[in-house]
Amino acid sequence: METTRDKLINATFDEVFSHGYQGASLSDILAKAGVHKGSMYHFFANKKEMALAAIEETVLNRNIEKYRYVETYTGGLLEEFYTRLRDTSERDFKRGCPIANIVQEMSNIDEEFNVLMQSIYGEFRSNVKAIFDKAVTVGEMKPCDTTKLALFTTSTIEGAILSAKATGNAQDYVDVIEELITHIEGKR
Amino acid sequence: METTRDKLINATFDEVFSHGYQGASLSDILAKAGVHKGSMYHFFANKKEMALAAIEETVLNRNIEKYRYVETYTGGLLEEFYTRLRDTSERDFKRGCPIANIVQEMSNIDEEFNVLMQSIYGEFRSNVKAIFDKAVTVGEMKPCDTTKLALFTTSTIEGAILSAKATGNAQDYVDVIEELITHIEGKR
DNA sequence: ACTAAAATTGACTGATTAGTCAAGTGCTTT
DNA sequence: AAAGCACTTGACTAATCAGTCAATTTTAGT
């Protein structure tokens, strides 16, 4: 069952993803969630705390499943990584990447957002690094500076999503990803 | 001499760069510019038109100089491109890339912003493509799909700036750029 | 069934928002 | 010097913003 708090978290994440934090209207969130203002202030101190909770919890939940395969998978780890990278079915190129959006909008404005996004972004990077590290361990890849490769990979992925958002053309994402994969393959 | 309109354009660009379009306060812009509200509405129909003008004109002015070297330069074009890429002295990693910021914030919200950013982003890409094209022409680089290489390059640059903004570490930008240059060098 | 706590309701506040406008200033042209 | 136009001034409006709160209902524990 979706509790009142869940409704608020989901509506907030969606609204912030669409309009940014500053552009997110509290009344719109409440209308979307079907929750009254007083109820919201019962669960959250203010708009900011609710938004921070929405981002943290939503991203956390998604990532738990997203990178589970790395631990269980034994063979063809990089291929699996590529396949997931190529998969555009769950990407929303109109809205872009929720993490990147918030980083761009809030990192230099608000310290609490900055801290949260630093942690989320760092986690993203270390998840990718873990894939490369494992690929090296199991012999799928020659030893290399996986920290820098993960930084390069995550940066390029975010850039690819941005390009597709800027042009309105999902193919841009695909093209960048293919070139990125070629680059990573050069390390084998 | 800095006209009233110039003051408004500059203050608007700076304020939008810092706080985003939606987060930009008209009163703050006016205070920063030292211009009264009525004056502003004499030059611009509304906040949005002023912001669009500020972005377009500022970016236009900067790009006119930024890529002039491509036409005049004859030898070591790629090296010059790398040097400029490596130069972080004019980058503001706290605020990130003004273009990317606006794309992220506004492309999916407002059609006028979308059109403008699509044009600016397209120009960025074709400027980079022109460098690779010329490099191929003068024999600095083997013939290749310069359209896709330019897409990859611009995407990765934007991703690099985002990474540095997310972590607050300018070195991230430098590291990504070095890997990017290595990748481009592979095409020679 | 009774009590207490948790959750909900919705009207209200004060601040801030973008935008309007009538009156006034000052430069330019004749 | 007179007229006309570009520009400036700052008070004003209406809407929206986040946030408050006392009263009420619902739920849970005994």
Side-chain angles (χ1 to χ4, degrees), chain B residues 3 14 24 30 37 48 61 76 105 112 123 133 179 181:
Chain B
T3 65
D14 191 69
L30 294 171
K37 189 167 269 192
K48 184 171 147 185
N61 284 338
E105 182 191 2
E112 278 192 80
E123 200 190 339
D133 281 337
E179 186 100 19
I181 290 174

Side-chain angles (χ1 to χ4, degrees), chain A residues 65-86 126-142 146 149 153 181 184-185 188:
Chain A
E65 312 191 9
K66 205 168 181 180
Y67 294 97
R68 209 201 310 268
Y69 77 96
V70 180
E71 283 155 38
T72 58
Y73 225 78
T74 50
L77 185 63
L78 284 178
E79 260 68 28
E80 179 67 17
F81 179 56
Y82 298 158
T83 301
R84 285 161 186 262
L85 259 188
R86 287 187 176 107
S126 68
N127 278 331
V128 172
K129 177 178 172 353
I131 294 172
F132 293 139
D133 281 337
K134 185 152 190 175
V136 168
T137 303
V138 301
E140 284 189 27
M141 186 183 244
K142 280 186 295 189
T146 56
L149 185 58
T153 301
I181 290 173
I184 299 172
E185 283 292 286
R188 290 187 109 161

